[in-house]
Amino acid sequence: MDAHFAGGCLTIGFSGSLMTTTSSDYGSLGCVGVIVPPANVTVEPEMVDLLPRGLSMIGTRLPGRVSKETGIGLRERFIEYNRALATVADSFGGATLSALGLACTGSCYLDGPGGDDKLCADLRAGGTHQVVTAAHALKELIEALGKRRIGLVTPYPAWVTELAIAYWQASGFEVVHSGELPGVVSIYEVSTDSVLAAARDMMSTGADVILLSGTGVPTVPAIEILSRTTAVPVISSNLALAWWMLRALGIDLHQSPSPALHALAKWLATDAGRGRKEQ
């Protein structure tokens, strides 16, 4: 196995398997951690669906101050998340983590791709060097798929979507089209039907990958449905986090029970086959 740090995150090239095991009744394949926004009720259920049996997951919360009571807006909350990240990572209290991910995409967009260095450095306070942000996991996944033309779907207000576009452009990708999910009052109340409709709208834009940004959006059911009929990869923040962690631990995607990860394995294999033909 070859490992190096790229963009502040540990990037791993596998020549073998890095399988982390424990002797406890749970977590025979290891234990991963996720750091989640305080009101996010989507990350843990989707990660449970995505991760294979035997790979346990524990989570902790970013600081939460309710904007209705404090007048603190979304930008200020994102800043607070990033400022508190090392302390939050340390709150795992010495638990043995195989990998740790920041499951908040919006806060990653604030400082652009260059901000991943600081975020990942703070995540290492959790006690593992195998750390990643949601945005960086997406970046590595798009690169692994060999794609460059992004159709971006977001649940954010316009100013966060603009930050997202700038992030992906600065990362070397082309955002051929972006669209915000309609009528979003709370990211945590977005329906699968809304996600499906927005993703399908992106299919005719010339994008070679559809990116569903936001860990609070329920994306796994939509990806499972879309994968039955489209050759264009459809990926999301939570899907990318799960993929990155499984890759980091040397666990095959097919060990997951999730059709969404099985579809991703197919898309990755298709791209690898295309690359061999072009050589």
Side-chain angles (χ1 to χ4, degrees), residues 81-247:
Y81 293 167
N82 291 348
R83 184 183 295 128
L85 190 56
T87 300
V88 174
D90 186 55
S91 73
F92 283 98
T96 301
L97 297 179
S98 309
L100 175 60
L102 171 59
C104 180
T105 324
S107 63
C108 299
Y109 291 145
L110 280 180
D111 298 321
D116 283 334
D117 286 352
K118 174 64 165 60
L119 294 176
C120 285
D122 289 345
L123 283 170
R124 291 186 195 106
T128 175
H129 283 288
Q130 305 226 70
V131 298
V132 73
T133 67
H136 195 88
L138 281 165
K139 179 177 180 290
E140 290 198 10
L141 179 52
I142 297 170
E143 290 172 345
L145 287 163
K147 306 304 181 184
R148 280 290 176 267
R149 296 168 56 81
I150 295 173
L152 179 64
V153 178
T154 80
Y156 309 127
W159 68 270
V160 183
T161 298
E162 290 172 5
L163 286 177
I165 293 169
Y167 181 99
W168 295 115
Q169 289 175 336
S171 297
F173 303 105
E174 179 185 358
V175 180
V176 297
H177 193 74
S178 66
E180 294 163 11
L181 290 163
V184 175
V185 176
S186 168
I187 185 174
Y188 309 123
E189 296 177 0
V190 174
S191 70
T192 294
D193 286 344
S194 293
V195 175
L196 282 170
R200 285 169 174 152
D201 285 345
M202 287 291 171
M203 295 296 176
S204 61
T205 62
D208 57 19
V209 60
I210 309 300
L211 194 167
L212 309 175
S213 185
T215 62
V217 178
T219 57
V220 170
I223 292 170
E224 292 176 1
I225 293 168
L226 291 164
S227 68
R228 300 168 193 161
T229 57
T230 180
V232 177
V234 184
I235 63 174
S236 70
S237 300
N238 291 336
L239 186 78
L241 277 171
W243 165 82
W244 193 96
M245 289 177 173
L246 294 181
R247 186 187 66 161

Side-chain angles (χ1 to χ4, degrees), residues 45-89:
E46 292 211 328
M47 293 297 282
V48 167
D49 283 347
L50 291 164
L51 297 179
R53 184 175 178 84
L55 183 59
S56 63
M57 181 203 67
I58 55 176
T60 192
R61 249 50 193 175
L62 290 160
R65 289 190 279 172
V66 180
S67 58
K68 291 179 182 177
E69 297 175 358
T70 65
I72 293 175
L74 185 58
R75 186 186 297 272
E76 289 74 23
R77 275 186 281 154
F78 282 168
I79 292 170
E80 174 112 5
Y81 293 167
N82 291 348
R83 184 183 295 128
L85 190 56
T87 300
V88 174

